[in-house]
Amino acid sequence: MNIRLVLSLLGRAMMVEGALLLPSAAVALMHGEDPRALLQGALLVAALGLLIVKLSKPKNTNLRAREGLASVALIWVALSFFGGLPFYFDGAIPSLTDCFFETVSGFTTTGATILTDVEALPKGLLFWRSFTHWVGGMGVLVLSLALLPNMGARTGHLMKAESTGPAPGKLVPRIAHSSRILYKLYLALTLLQLVALLMCGLNLYDALIHTFGAAGTGGFSNYALSAGHFQSPAVEMVLAAGMLLFGVNFSMYFLLLGKQWKSVLRNEELRLYLSITLVATALIAVNILPGAGDIWTALRQSFFQVSTIITTTGYSSVNFDKWPEFSRWILVLLMLVGSCAGSTAGGIKMVRLNLLLKSVKHELYRAVHPNGVAVVKTEGRAVGEGVLGQVLVFFFAYLLALFLAVLIISLDGFDMVTNLTAALSALSNIGPGLNIVGPLGSFTGYSILSKWVLSVCMLIGRLEIYPMLLLVIPSMWRRH
């Protein structure tokens, strides 16, 4: 393990985080608040980052897979810790565990919260809390690569470790160029979402907060009632449409810009994503129709909640925890599935679900025709046994992490539905679950141990298991 290289990358990412805290300090000043907590956090993390960079100075900048995985995991843990310090310095969240939980939830775009009175927080801190969604949505290292293209290392392993999905690829040959293209697309869609919310009548501050949440598919709001605060069908539909767009693989937008329409229309993952969204919306709308009053209200409420759950955003326009059991469990299944690979969303991803379904079909065919020849294909190309094996291993590891998390947090004595959906929402980076951790609840009742377990689940889910698990393997840290 090239420790100096890992530390150098960590220091540079910390310097970027220091700069990212400054806009929130400016927001605090604009609203007549004391920005010292945010400025202290910015100065501390930037100074420590600069010191680490100066002291590390790696002689060998050849970044191997192990350095890439270790760097990604350590950077996400460190930025979540230091990003939570402004809440601690201000006194808004007096527990370091709760500060870490809240900031991990922000950067991993989970949206789970320990806050019981979110509207009591200063506007500057609430801005930072939601801004972490936007930064974490595309990835803190993708942003660092875009801002610091000469990070002094071959950075392909960094982007691969931080990207979502089983086979992330470059849009163009150079990694730094790919990072800038991704962020240009991300910024363009963010601005589109912001303008649409402003046209719906939201003020700039509220529009920015909810744009960050929708773009990063995170779900933090500055209101206790989340998106339901606005009581506006127009705001609901704009947010729902925006969340669906950010749940699409960003390479699809790159193809659209290149006028490769047929490639987009033939994309199996995109078609599965939209099909599941439509079917789930229709099923829930029919199920909640008696309580909604009319079909249009039922469709609007259903579409919004399906959009926010399948994209792992976590906004709420109604208290879906009061919906019939059939609708609630459809939402739980959507929590597990998630959106597309290469998007800002969490979950196991549509591309993996597609391959799992095709693997089942393939095994059924082999059972009926043992001498037949059948190949699993996606996008017209054969999928190797190695890729299918990786998908199955990932799915098993995902379920194992979920089971262990539920087992540990069950020590707190909450009911099974609360614990299952709390762990699932953390691992899939959703935010709200059911019962005590429903859309109007919070995670504050969990013990310190459970909050750390759930925080680790959020990181495991966002980094797709392996970078975090490899940190505890001794062979990862050997020099040779």
Side-chain angles (χ1 to χ4, degrees), residues 110-113 218-219 305 308-309 313-316 320 335 421-422 424-426 430-434 437-441 443:
T110 303
T113 183
Q305 291 309 147
T308 192
I309 295 299
T313 303
Y315 280 136
S316 60
F320 58 79
M335 289 181 186
T421 57
L424 182 57
S425 72
I430 304 283
L434 299 177
V437 293
L440 299 182
F443 289 70

Side-chain angles (χ1 to χ4, degrees), residues 37 44 58 71 86 93 111 124 127 129 161 168 215 255-256 263 265 280 293 341 352 371 387 417 423 430 455 460 470:
L44 177 62
S71 298
I93 304 178
F127 187 88
R129 178 174 174 261
L255 292 175
L256 286 175
S263 297
L265 293 174
R352 290 193 181 95
N371 297 321
V387 174
V417 172
I430 304 283
S455 296
I460 287 176
L470 289 172

Side-chain angles (χ1 to χ4, degrees), residues 37-190:
L38 288 158
L39 291 175
Q40 287 169 357
L43 181 61
L44 177 62
V45 68
L48 283 175
L50 180 60
L51 180 63
I52 291 172
V53 169
K54 293 295 184 183
L55 293 177
S56 55
K57 291 184 178 179
K59 296 178 182 179
N60 180 9
T61 59
N62 181 27
L63 187 73
R64 296 171 299 175
R66 65 167 63 185
E67 282 88 11
L69 292 167
S71 298
V72 167
L74 289 176
I75 285 170
W76 276 76
V77 172
L79 296 195
S80 296
F81 173 77
F82 288 107
L85 290 181
F87 298 106
Y88 186 75
F89 293 154
D90 182 82
I93 304 178
S95 165
L96 280 174
T97 295
D98 287 348
C99 291
F100 183 74
F101 181 96
E102 199 76 12
T103 313
V104 167
S105 181
F107 276 123
T108 59
T109 71
T110 303
T113 183
I114 50 83
L115 297 173
T116 55
D117 186 9
V118 65
E119 296 177 31
L121 261 67
K123 290 185 179 293
L125 288 178
L126 284 176
F127 187 88
W128 168 243
R129 178 174 174 261
S130 290
F131 189 47
T132 56
H133 278 337
W134 193 82
V135 175
M138 189 60 69
V140 291
L141 279 168
V142 174
L143 177 60
S144 298
L145 292 173
L147 297 177
L148 303 170
N150 299 316
M151 289 184 74
R154 292 169 56 191
T155 48
H157 290 303
L158 293 176
M159 193 169 182
K160 182 178 180 180
E162 193 178 56
S163 299
T164 59
K170 296 179 288 185
L171 300 181
V172 293
R174 296 187 61 186
I175 291 292
H177 192 193
S178 291
S179 302
R180 287 193 288 272
I181 290 174
L182 283 171
Y183 259 95
K184 285 178 182 178
L185 291 169
Y186 192 37
L187 183 60
L189 287 172
T190 300

